[in-house]
Every structure is written in structure tokens, then in C-alpha cells.
Amino acid sequence: MRSSFIKKTTCSILCLLIILSTAFCLAGCKTRTDEMADQEIYAEKQINAVNKKIAKCINTKDKKGLKSLFSKNAQEESEEIDNRISELISAFNGAKIKSVEGKEPGFSGDSNTQPINIYGFYTLNLSNGDKYVIWVDFCSMDDENKENVGLYMIEVINCTKDKLPSDFKWDGINNDKPGIFIHHIK
């Protein structure tokens, strides 16, 4: 009788351990969908923060602040970045950026396969009622080359995408050059 009790107790303990270890394993596993959702949330938070900083620098005409958002490599490789920053700020003709709207950003890389590059088109709603389109491209993480972290490119058009001429060419996006590119569409 005692042997039967020991067998039942041992079997019960083993079953309980199997159930607990299975539960812990399942709780610790993330599906690919969960990982992608986490990366999308990360990318969206990062681009929202960068867009807010860009808007604040433009609204306050903070040239040094805007320049500091660019990565060291982009600052070195960009043609006349100081002049381009002045042009960007003056492109708004004194109007303030009230809000930034856009879809989820695109991104490449993750914390395991760096660098993490985040990019996307956004609509800038201005205080005078105008809407501009902005393309933002930046590196949020690169453990192997910290000089790449920061803005890579800002490209701005003084109208919405639907008002662009059919032959319009994006300078920076098409040429993959760092810096600031401004288009004035009449």
C-alpha cells in the first residue's frame, strides 16, 4: 500500500513539473508575429520622437539643434548641410508645424541584425493651412558604428504628394545621398 502511495505521489509531482515547465516555456516563447509587432511599435515610437524633434527645431528656428539630429557620418557626407538647414527652416515662410501625420514607418534591421534604419513619408500640417510632405530617414541603432546613429536624410516638398507633377524625382531618395533636400512646387 505504501508503495502505491509513493508511486501516485511521484507520478503527480512529475505531472505537475511537466505542466509547469511547459507553461513557462510557452510563456517565454515569442512568435514571429509578436516580434514583428514589437519592432513596428519600436519603429513608430522612434520616428514619432524624431518627427517631434524636427518640427520643434524648425518651429524654433534652432539650426544647431537640427544639425545635431543628423548622424556624424551624414553631417560629414552631406553637401553644405549648414546652408541646407537654413533653406529648410526658411522653406516654411514663418509658418509653424502644427502636426505631423503619416502611416506606420518602414524599417530594416532589428536589435540582432543592426543597423536599425527607420524611414517614411509624413504630412506636415502648417499653421497657415498648407500641407507639406516630408521624407525622414534615420538610423536608430548601430552598435558597431555609432557614427551612423541619427538622421540620414530629410526631403521636403511644399505641397502634398497628390499635387506633384508626374515627372517629379525625389533627389535624396533616388540617389541615396545623406542630407536635406527641398523642393518648391508651384
Side-chain angles (χ1 to χ4, degrees), residues 4-168:
S4 172
F5 175 75
I6 292 174
K7 285 182 184 178
K8 285 182 183 179
T9 304
T10 304
C11 187
S12 296
I13 291 172
L14 285 173
C15 286
L16 181 62
L17 287 173
I18 290 171
I19 290 169
L20 287 174
S21 63
T22 302
F24 283 119
C25 286
L26 290 175
C29 294
K30 278 192 171 186
T31 66
R32 177 79 174 136
T33 306
D34 292 338
E35 288 177 14
M36 288 304 293
D38 289 348
Q39 290 174 15
E40 288 171 4
I41 291 167
Y42 171 80
E44 191 165 347
K45 285 181 180 177
Q46 294 295 311
I47 196 115
N48 287 341
V50 166
N51 284 338
K52 283 180 184 178
K53 290 175 185 175
I54 291 170
K56 181 181 178 186
C57 289
I58 290 171
N59 286 343
T60 61
K61 300 179 181 180
D62 181 2
K63 295 175 185 177
K64 288 182 183 178
L66 191 54
K67 185 174 182 177
S68 72
L69 296 177
F70 280 86
S71 72
K72 288 182 182 177
N73 283 342
Q75 287 181 38
E76 291 171 5
E77 294 174 28
S78 178
E79 296 175 16
E80 302 178 13
I81 193 162
D82 293 318
N83 291 337
R84 296 293 182 132
I85 288 171
S86 294
E87 287 176 37
L88 176 63
I89 290 171
S90 67
F92 290 86
N93 299 318
K96 302 285 185 194
I97 300 170
K98 289 185 355 182
S99 65
V100 181
E101 298 174 357
K103 297 181 180 178
E104 292 179 5
F107 61 92
S108 63
D110 61 40
S111 58
N112 296 321
T113 56
Q114 294 179 25
I116 299 176
N117 295 305
I118 303 172
Y119 47 87
F121 283 106
Y122 295 88
T123 300
L124 303 176
N125 298 304
L126 305 183
S127 59
N128 64 4
D130 288 347
K131 294 179 184 254
Y132 287 9
V133 172
I134 186 170
W135 167 263
V136 177
D137 186 346
F138 70 98
C139 176
S140 69
M141 187 184 301
D142 189 345
D143 289 341
E144 291 182 20
N145 192 350
K146 303 272 188 205
E147 311 266 304
N148 285 334
V149 175
L151 274 171
Y152 180 76
M153 180 191 320
I154 297 176
E155 193 154 0
V156 175
I157 304 169
N158 68 338
C159 67
T160 55
K161 284 173 72 174
D162 61 324
K163 294 183 180 175
L164 290 175
S166 59
D167 62 344
F168 178 78

